[in-house]
Amino acid sequence: MLKACLWRDDTLSHALESLWHRKANPVTATHAVVAARTILEVLPALVAAPDDPELRSRMAEVSLSAGLAFSGTRTAIAHSISYPVTLRHGVTHGIACSFTLPMILHSLADADGLHGRALRDIFGPDLRVGAGKLAAFLDGLGVGLAPADYGIDAAAWENILAEATDGPRGRNFIGATTRLHPVAPRAA
Ligand SMILES: [Fe+2]
């Protein structure tokens, strides 16, 4: 069920992409933090009760919040990576732009300013720990965290990262793609 949600809806990716975007601002960050925190809380509950109207309503509301966030910035590196992953390896959009979220977050462990504050509002003071918890969250949905899980070998992954970095969405990213490596899941 959770994986099915991600196939159809990459709301979490939309929220986080707007936070590590160069154009993030207090308005977009506020929407993004609300969306991400709510998704991390509500999705597991929705698995247990997929027909619960209150939970479904909350997810719909934060999908709007994430939309407001990234409509003020656009998307960034996760989406830039996702397009060749989808086109060349047949990975559904929601998964293609979600499996990299932990590694991207880990690469921003030393982020400061608005970007760092907003990410720590979601994932706690240590973003390396937060990245491990996010990896555990996705792992719990059955989402593979490594390029190899999608049939992407090391050479293909290097090409994807290089292309993604050079693309317009890649240039929106506040970090460096040279530090993107899969993150091991970490217990909460
Ligand atoms: Fe998307």
Side-chain angles (χ1 to χ4, degrees):
M1 172 62 188
L2 277 176
K3 190 168 181 178
C5 290
L6 285 172
W7 283 341
R8 292 194 298 267
D9 186 345
D10 53 330
T11 295
L12 181 61
S13 179
H14 288 161
L16 297 182
E17 288 270 85
S18 74
L19 285 179
W20 49 59
H21 196 290
R22 293 186 186 282
K23 293 182 180 176
N25 61 66
V27 174
T28 61
T30 298
H31 288 303
V33 169
V34 167
R37 288 176 64 113
T38 305
I39 292 161
L40 294 172
E41 173 197 341
V42 169
L43 262 181
L46 192 55
V47 168
D51 296 323
D52 186 304
E54 174 65 20
L55 296 174
R56 294 172 70 92
S57 176
R58 289 186 70 190
M59 285 301 297
E61 289 170 7
V62 296
S63 181
L64 174 61
S65 297
L68 290 170
F70 93 90
S71 67
T73 57
R74 297 189 73 184
T75 54
I77 190 67
H79 276 71
S80 194
I81 291 170
S82 79
Y83 299 128
V85 169
T86 294
L87 291 172
R88 297 173 196 162
H89 300 276
V91 181
T92 308
H93 180 70
I95 300 296
C97 59
S98 296
F99 83 96
T100 55
L101 297 177
M103 65 177 90
I104 296 169
L105 179 61
H106 191 276
S107 79
L108 296 174
D110 299 320
D112 57 12
L114 173 67
H115 307 283
R117 286 197 303 276
L119 290 170
R120 290 181 180 87
D121 279 349
I122 301 165
F123 296 105
D126 187 333
L127 294 179
R128 292 179 181 85
V129 173
K133 292 179 179 176
L134 178 58
F137 179 84
L138 292 171
D139 183 60
L141 310 182
V143 176
L145 300 170
D149 294 327
Y150 304 98
I152 305 169
D153 64 23
W157 180 240
E158 289 302 316
N159 284 336
I160 287 171
L161 287 182
E163 292 174 23
T165 304
D166 286 341
R169 287 177 174 77
R171 293 194 296 275
N172 289 335
F173 180 46
I174 61 169
T177 54
T178 53
R179 292 187 290 156
L180 296 184
H181 307 287
V183 175
R186 182 181 185 119

